[in-house]
Amino acid sequence: GEHVNISSNVSIGGEGFGFVPGPKGLVRLSHIGRVLIGNRVAIGSNCAIDRGGLGDTVIGDMTALDNLVQIGHNVRIGKGCVFAGQAGVAGSATIGDYVMVGGAVSISDHVTVGNGAKIAGKSGVMRDVAAGETVAGYPAIPVRQWHRQSVALAKLAKKSD
């Protein structure tokens, strides 16, 4: 893309993490796809973006990756997304447009995150996230539910003192 800012120590196009069991142990799957980076993308230091297996890994226009972000093979990220430091997206996940991902978030493989979704820091996304939804926790659940559970747990802990 045009006007892409790539910081120091970034790895783009490394082989994805794919293995299958073979008669003599694990066999690495070849990854022959590409990495396609849109216009006005910012990639922070020490990020790793794996190339696709058969298809491509795609980073959409105006997306920003903070330092230490991992993007797995075949991930498709829409436009205008923001990923805070230490976030990781496993292979074949689909991230919509204008998604905000907090620091140290983990997104599982083959998950879809809808347009405009927000994921709180340190959350673990193991299911699809609907467009516009805000999730938090591990496993990530709707943020209001997470807050209610956190308050209930604190009350239980206080009673046991």
Side-chain angles (χ1 to χ4, degrees):
E2 295 179 0
H3 307 291
V4 173
N5 183 8
I6 300 173
S7 297
S8 59
N9 300 314
V10 172
S11 174
I12 298 174
E15 192 158 35
F17 189 74
F19 295 89
V20 294
K24 295 181 181 179
L26 292 176
V27 177
R28 184 181 273 280
L29 294 173
S30 293
H31 286 76
I32 59 172
R34 304 172 296 173
V35 175
L36 303 177
I37 298 174
N39 298 320
R40 297 185 307 280
V41 170
I43 301 173
S45 296
N46 300 305
C47 288
I49 304 171
D50 296 340
R51 68 180 177 263
L54 295 174
D56 296 324
T57 299
V58 178
I59 311 294
D61 293 346
M62 302 176 294
T63 288
L65 308 179
D66 193 6
N67 300 331
L68 297 164
V69 173
Q70 163 66 36
I71 305 298
H73 63 278
N74 295 4
V75 169
R76 301 186 71 81
I77 297 174
K79 65 183 175 184
C81 295
V82 176
F83 287 77
Q86 297 183 332
V89 184
S92 300
T94 302
I95 312 298
D97 296 336
Y98 304 106
V99 172
M100 297 181 73
V101 177
V105 164
S106 297
I107 300 175
S108 292
D109 57 327
H110 303 278
V111 166
T112 298
V113 177
N115 294 339
K118 295 179 177 83
I119 304 169
K122 295 262 187 174
S123 296
V125 177
M126 294 180 254
R127 63 164 182 84
D128 290 351
V129 177
E133 186 174 20
T134 300
V135 297
Y138 185 88
I141 55 177
V143 71
R144 291 179 59 86
Q145 180 183 349
W146 180 76
H147 284 300
R148 284 192 301 272
Q149 288 178 357
S150 297
V151 168
L153 184 60
K155 287 179 182 178
L156 283 172
K158 191 172 185 176
K159 285 181 184 179
S160 67
D161 287 344

